[in-house]
Amino acid sequence: MELSSEDNNLTEKFLPPIEQESDVELETKVKKYLRGEGANLETLKDKKLKTQLASREKLYGKSAKTAAKIEKWLLPAEAGYLETDGLEKTWRVKQTDIANEVDLLSSRNQYDIVLPDFGPYKLDFTASGRHMIAGGRKGHLALVDMMSMNLIKEIQVKETVRDVAFLHNEQFFAAAQKKYAYIYGRDGTELHCLKERGPVARLRFLKNHFLLASVNKSGQLHYQDVTYGGMVASIRTGKGRTDVMEVNPYNGVVALGHSGGTVTMWKPTSQAPLVQMQCHPGPVSSVAFHPNGHLMATSGKERKLKIWDLRKFEEIQTIHGFHAKTLSFSQKGLLAAGTGSFVQILGDSSGSSSSHNYSRYMNHSMVKGYQIEKLMFRPYEDVIGIGHSMGWSSILIPGSGEPNFDSWVANPFETSKQRREKEVHLLLDKLPPETIMLDPSKIGAMKPSRRKEKPSRGEIEAEKEVAIEAAKSTELKKKTKGRNKPSKRTKKKKEMVENAKRTFPEQGHNNTASKKRRIGEDAAAELPASLKRFARKN
Amino acid sequence: MGEKRRSTSKTLGKNKRRKGPHLPNSILKTIANEKRPLNSDEEDDEIDSDDAIVDLYEYEEGVPEEESRKNNRYDPVVNYNYELPEDFEDENVESDDDDEGGNSDNEEGEGDDVVRHTRMLQAVTGMPSAAFDGESKRKPVLFTEAYPESEFNPTRDVLEGKGLLTIDELMAPIEGKPGFNELEKRISRMQKDAQAVVHAPLPKPERERLERKAVKGLVDKEFNKWVHMVKRNREAPTVYFNQNVSLGYSTVGAIASEFQPRTDFEKKMASVLNDNELGEAHDEDGAKLLELNEVSVEDQIKYRDHIAKMRSLLFRHELKSKRIKKIKSKTYHRLKGKDLKKSAMGALMDPEMAKEEAMKQEARRVEERMTLKHKNTGKWAKRMISRGLNVKYDGTRAAISEQLQINATLSRKMNSTNDGSSSDESDDEEELNDGSDQDTPSKLIAKAREKTLKTVEDDEVPNSGLLSLPFMARAMKKKNEEAIEGGKRALEEYEEWENSGGEENPKKTAVVSGRRVFGATAKVEAPKESRKDSDNFYDNSDSDNDTEGIENNDLGAVRDTASPARNTGAITETEKFDDDVENPASKTTFDVALFASGSWKKMKGCQNAETKKKLKKHVPYSKGQDKKESRDDESEDSESEAEEMVDGILTSASKETYEIPSQAELIQRAFAGDDVVDEFEKEKQEVLNQEVPEPEKPVLVPGWGQWTNIQKKRGLPSWMVREHEDAKKKRTLDLKTRKDARLRHVIISEKVDKKVEKLHTTTLPFPYTSKEVFEHSMRMPIGPEFNPATIVGSLNRPEVVKRAGVIIKPLKFEEANPNEKVDDEHPRSNQKQNPKKGGKTGKGQSKGKSKQKTKA
């Protein structure tokens, strides 16, 4: 306590006014690290629990504050940005202009690699952004160290390659080839042939679950656990063939785009889709997920690009006149869309995390005739990789990558020893496939009740009224002479109404009754003993 | 008036319900209104108002005759069956008395008793009547004694000890007796001393209650001192027990330094170790040590004797063994041999013996199997089992199970060759299965043939072990012959299958079997090879994508072009095989198989050389076909596009040619997508129906309840209709509460995933009482991955921190500040332990106290 107060004093005393202003900034960061509000402890009756939770909350607060401070003061790098003044527009800035401004190291990231022979290239980066695998349609697979631009291994599989994907690190990668998908080692040796899947169209790897998800030509979705090789799930989507597939990095849900304009989301433990969304009237050409998992971008062949809020499943924004063959979100939330030989980068201009307004940020057009196949932002770098029909290219997009890497998560400068250590940790932390769900924060919470527990009071009242009305309006049978007296009839009717009332729980009355009783008791308790007998009985 | 009042007050006391008999409702209401605020407001006014009301009531109330006691028609009812509560104070009555001037003497009627009583008391005690006033006030007229008062029937006052019994009263009876004066004097002296009236002791329960109250107060005070400490410990996130604990010695040296020799041996050792002379000797040189190291003469002699004894023993043993060796007695050797035979070692060593043994074993087995002697078929065993004695007695059970065991060992089959061979076969099958999914039937057959040939071929007889025994060998021979025959039969069958399966080249099938096999495989392989070449234009030096061709071998044209190549292959084969014709049948077949694979490889090589030229011709054709396919299939056309690019036609023009058909496709798609939204809605409806199924329509079983026209007209019974409607209502409610109820373009599945349910808690964990609080407290991760290193420790600290071996002592009292907050950063020790110095714990405690103070 003393310590923290001292700290506060220090900051108040010695920090210049600018720094004090930035306390607001710190506060927002603290909020981010607090992950939501604490519970309202005032409602708790258990004093012990209350104090324990209060001290826990205090610790959380401290932790968040420390984390925020670390982020503010200790994280070395700043995110890049593109600043224009006056009438200049960010999207007018060309790559050549950027090249003139940036340092030598960054300018090395602008290049075209021309490989005209082996067709449009698919790309995939490792989580750290250190390594890239490029798969040419005509069977050319190249594993490249992006830091040193060394070609680690290049193989020619001599058949169509439809997609490539890294597994948990650069040691393994999977390629969807003409008939089967294969897993290769870092040195290009074929380790496994995944025959069960059939001709695979798209491959994605779920890092936290160690699942290799793929969709094949007949629209079957397969999940295979790469740790032991078992097929965790094979799901028939029943929506025809598709080659639009993306994984939501937040929760591991796989989204498929279909020719009917629907996007379906899947998890391995259920045969039915979690969510089906009618996103476009025409076929869906690509899907991408924001790293925080709340935003999804889809583009349809009817030349529209839509951005969806996945918490409400509502459309946030529609961008017209743009049909993207490939979409990609960067770590910082920029959205890249590629069509033909043209790349457009959209940025979130609203600046707040709650509302989103994507607008043009940057453009890039390739040499005419190049057909863009795949766009992918390189993690932890302000770089986007473009796989196209004539090889692959890389351009600079300031402000796209996360400037500071967390070596717990991904380390671009990983040594082999660290990598091995990490691999073991990843395996130990592997999540079972059933943890894939729309809202993973619900894990560990109370089981959601299947039915609505209780109808609300108003509903009960309404129902009761209806029942009473019905009882009143029922026609009584005509009985024989003696039993048909009006008095008997009214009595009978009263009885019916009473019965109708009785079927509903008398919660309200019970409550008031008990309340009244309590008041009476209180009054009796207050009175002296001699007067108790005079207290009003209810 | 006064009397009436008294009586009413009495009745008031009696019937608590106190209903004013016949007051109109309006008056009652006004009374109630008057009363309520007063009740709640002040207590002083209360009484007066009550009085007023009481007056009102009294006015109306009639008194029953038997209670008024005007005439003695009724038996006098003793009213003390009603007892007022302990702490009852009837203020009304008091006030009544005040009104009347409190003169109890003037009371009349049934108050006569009281008057008499007071008068009596007055007479007895000589005290003024005012002294008894209080008594009468408190219990005005409650008691009417059933009997006249006497020493046998003391009044209630006397019994309860409320009446003041003075010594004078006690003395009165003995007045005038001898010694009375003396006694009186003494008493008066005592009275002077005490100057106080000695009250009668309280009744026991009351006294005890008072005592308990006093004790409780004290105990409360004592215990309340601990409340803060207990509270602090209860609420502390962590309780520490590990501070200032020194567990004694730190090093081995420290332990050794305090060693005291206790036993004789230890003392001896110590005396030697601590010998100054020895130490000096060590320090100076070794010469003196030698002196000290003397061996005594006796010891030396003892040692020599021992060795001599050992030598003589050895010599005797040698002699004995020599003698035994010389023995020529047959009986002796027979017995000896028997011993040897018995041992398992002997059996293993001698092959002859082993044979014998095996024979014997076999005979025993046969015997056992025939007689079933040990299978509890004996008289005794049957009897035991039938009477259930084997269950009852352990011994019997053991005996029976032993018999069974013997039976099992005797009748156990010897390690047969069958097991091994069958497992081999299964292995083979597995292999076959592995390859089968991409193999053609002809290939399969070929493989199967090869396998059978191989198994037929290797009929080697093992030279050692059980299998080498003659009877085993015989059996194996027999079996092998059978197997070979079977194999031959299988081979013939294969041939037949092939003849029926392969349509082409029927004439060639008439020749040697081996040839045909490879003709067929070549047929399959050749087109594939050529096809691959046409696809990729790569060096096909060692490509192993065999299966591709099979998929595509419906291309008739390609096969045709490849057929010459196949023919050449076949020819080469025939040449090779002709050489081997003379050899015996089974041998040849095997050789053919071996040879054929080699020749196939060769053939492949030459075929490559030949076909390469021809391939050029049919490439355009196949490409055209690919293109046709591409119209149907999206990804296929991209492949063909890729091919074009390989040919070096990567221009914008080529792109145009690609887009023209796709535009048509686009149009088609555009039309196709017209009813996409409707379709989606239909789908949604389906999903909804599936997840929230519609209630079944109520139907009557035909014939039931339809006997008459009236019944028919009435239709379904009302309860059925009602149930159906309820179900419908429920369904609509469920649909409304779904997450996707308001989102037309979204279907959110609400199926319950059982696997996921495992990840939720079904009940709230213990201390939590509300779901919100629990879920909020779970929101923060506490692992090192998510928190700064400085906080992780305190986030994950266990509830109790304690080093192993620390003794947790009972809580000791210390002054605790009730307002102190628990601070996790400065761990507070719950105890200071110092096992070595037991007396100093107090000091540690005080230290802790001072620390606490500074902290606070």
Side-chain angles (χ1 to χ4, degrees), chain B residues 668-839:
Chain B
Q668 203 186 354
R669 268 186 215 145
F671 281 113
D674 268 352
D675 54 347
V676 154
V677 177
D678 287 342
E679 263 174 33
F680 187 79
E681 250 159 43
K682 248 185 241 166
E683 200 172 335
K684 181 165 183 177
Q685 206 53 51
E686 257 172 47
V687 171
L688 290 185
N689 284 341
Q690 202 188 348
E691 287 186 9
V692 189
E694 226 167 330
E696 275 179 40
K697 270 212 160 172
V699 233
L700 280 179
V701 182
W704 283 93
Q706 294 180 355
W707 289 102
T708 61
N709 250 351
I710 303 163
Q711 275 180 323
K712 266 191 186 172
K713 253 188 220 167
R714 222 187 269 154
L716 293 165
S718 60
W719 63 269
M720 265 191 183
V721 178
R722 210 188 314 131
E723 241 170 39
H724 180 65
E725 253 160 35
D726 283 352
K728 262 188 182 173
K729 252 185 222 166
K730 206 182 155 222
R731 179 170 185 264
T732 49
L733 201 82
D734 282 351
L735 288 183
K736 263 187 209 166
T737 50
R738 277 176 69 94
K739 269 186 235 160
D740 54 2
R742 298 204 178 154
L743 301 166
R744 285 187 65 209
H745 61 278
V746 181
I747 307 170
I748 301 171
S749 164
E750 291 194 349
K751 268 186 189 164
V752 180
D753 195 339
K754 275 191 183 166
K755 277 184 185 165
V756 173
E757 279 195 335
K758 275 188 288 183
L759 302 172
H760 296 296
T761 56
T762 46
T763 51
L764 274 176
F766 158 61
Y768 294 98
T769 45
S770 94
K771 194 180 154 194
E772 280 72 39
V773 172
F774 168 62
E775 276 169 16
H776 273 288
S777 71
M778 293 286 292
R779 76 183 194 283
M780 281 284 278
I782 53 172
E785 292 94 336
F786 310 96
N787 288 294
T790 49
I791 305 291
V792 171
S794 50
L795 273 173
N796 294 315
R797 194 162 291 142
E799 278 182 15
V800 175
V801 175
K802 175 185 168 298
R803 205 184 294 156
V806 171
I807 300 159
I808 298 177
K809 287 188 174 168
L811 198 63
K812 282 211 168 170
F813 180 72
E814 56 180 287
E815 287 289 339
N817 185 0
N819 299 322
E820 182 200 31
K821 290 271 187 226
V822 182
D823 201 348
D824 207 31
E825 264 194 330
H826 313 284
R828 175 179 49 75
S829 69
N830 262 28
Q831 71 186 67
K832 314 280 168 169
Q833 289 200 348
N834 215 339
K836 236 184 140 186
K837 304 155 198 169

Side-chain angles (χ1 to χ4, degrees), chain B residues 239-485:
Chain B
V239 184
Y240 298 87
F241 289 106
N242 61 348
Q243 293 211 329
N244 281 5
V245 179
S246 76
L247 287 174
Y249 310 101
S250 54
T251 59
V252 179
I255 297 168
S257 68
E258 296 211 352
F259 175 75
Q260 293 291 336
R262 277 166 301 178
T263 61
D264 286 344
F265 177 69
E266 279 172 4
K267 275 173 190 161
K268 223 184 220 172
M269 288 292 290
S271 69
V272 172
L273 284 173
N274 299 332
D275 197 355
N276 279 335
E277 207 181 338
L278 261 179
E280 274 171 27
H282 245 295
D283 290 342
E284 283 163 13
D285 59 355
K288 210 174 180 191
L289 270 180
L290 275 179
E291 273 174 35
L292 290 169
N293 201 13
E294 254 181 350
V295 180
S296 69
V297 179
E298 291 93 58
D299 283 352
Q300 185 61 34
I301 288 168
K302 234 187 231 171
Y303 178 68
R304 203 190 54 199
D305 286 353
H306 178 73
I307 285 188
K309 196 184 170 190
M310 285 295 145
R311 277 204 184 132
S312 72
L313 275 175
L314 255 180
F315 177 67
R316 266 188 216 167
H317 187 257
E318 208 173 304
L319 276 183
K320 197 184 171 189
S321 51
K322 262 184 191 168
R323 191 175 57 86
I324 286 169
K325 216 181 174 188
K326 262 189 215 162
I327 292 174
K328 285 172 183 165
S329 159
K330 271 181 185 173
T331 35
Y332 176 79
H333 277 293
R334 194 155 45 86
L335 288 172
K336 205 184 165 196
K338 228 177 196 175
D339 280 354
L340 196 71
K341 221 190 266 177
K342 264 181 190 169
S343 66
M345 278 291 281
L348 273 181
M349 273 149 71
D350 194 358
E352 283 275 294
M353 226 185 262
K355 211 190 271 180
E356 237 172 44
E357 186 65 24
M359 286 294 280
K360 263 184 196 165
Q361 169 75 21
E362 184 68 3
R364 269 203 299 266
R365 182 171 168 252
V366 169
E367 197 189 357
E368 174 63 28
R369 277 158 62 92
M370 276 161 67
T371 57
L372 293 178
K373 199 176 173 185
H374 294 102
K375 231 177 171 194
N376 292 332
T377 48
K379 209 173 174 186
W380 175 82
K382 268 181 189 166
R383 192 157 154 255
M384 285 297 136
I385 290 167
S386 71
R387 298 193 180 181
L389 293 176
N390 60 331
V391 185
K392 206 171 173 186
Y393 296 114
D394 278 359
T396 320
R397 193 169 57 217
I400 285 176
S401 64
E402 197 187 350
Q403 291 250 314
L404 279 175
Q405 185 66 30
I406 289 168
N407 173 56
T409 47
L410 279 177
S411 60
R412 189 185 295 141
K413 223 175 167 187
M414 292 181 134
N415 277 348
S416 64
T417 47
N418 283 357
D419 301 335
S421 66
S422 68
S423 71
D424 278 356
E425 273 164 23
S426 67
D427 282 356
D428 291 350
E429 271 166 19
E430 273 169 26
E431 278 174 19
L432 274 177
N433 287 341
D434 282 351
S436 65
D437 41 5
Q438 70 250 55
D439 283 351
T440 53
S442 61
K443 244 192 173 177
L444 255 179
I445 289 164
K447 238 179 201 173
R449 260 177 69 132
E450 216 169 299
K451 296 281 176 203
T452 38
L453 280 175
K454 212 178 263 174
T455 46
V456 165
E457 262 319 284
D458 51 63
D459 50 355
E460 294 165 353
V461 179
N463 295 327
S464 60
L466 255 176
L467 296 181
S468 66
L469 301 180
F471 66 93
M472 293 302 243
R474 250 177 286 132
M476 269 180 64
K477 216 176 173 184
K478 224 179 192 177
K479 255 178 203 163
N480 272 351
E481 273 167 14
E482 277 175 16
I484 287 166
E485 268 179 21

Side-chain angles (χ1 to χ4, degrees), chain A residues 523-525 527-537, chain B residues 8-19 35 39 50 54 57 82 84-85 88-93:
Chain A
L527 286 174
S530 60
L531 295 180
K532 262 181 195 166
R533 55 196 167 144
F534 300 122
R536 236 169 79 102
K537 302 285 179 326
Chain B
T8 48
S9 69
K10 202 167 47 184
T11 46
L12 274 177
K14 194 152 86 184
N15 27 341
K16 274 188 174 177
R17 239 176 272 141
R18 201 202 67 157
K19 273 182 187 159
K35 196 178 162 193
N39 250 350
D50 269 349
V54 167
Y57 280 11
Y82 167 73
L84 286 167
F88 177 74
E89 297 166 55
D90 201 342
E91 281 141 311
N92 284 327
V93 175

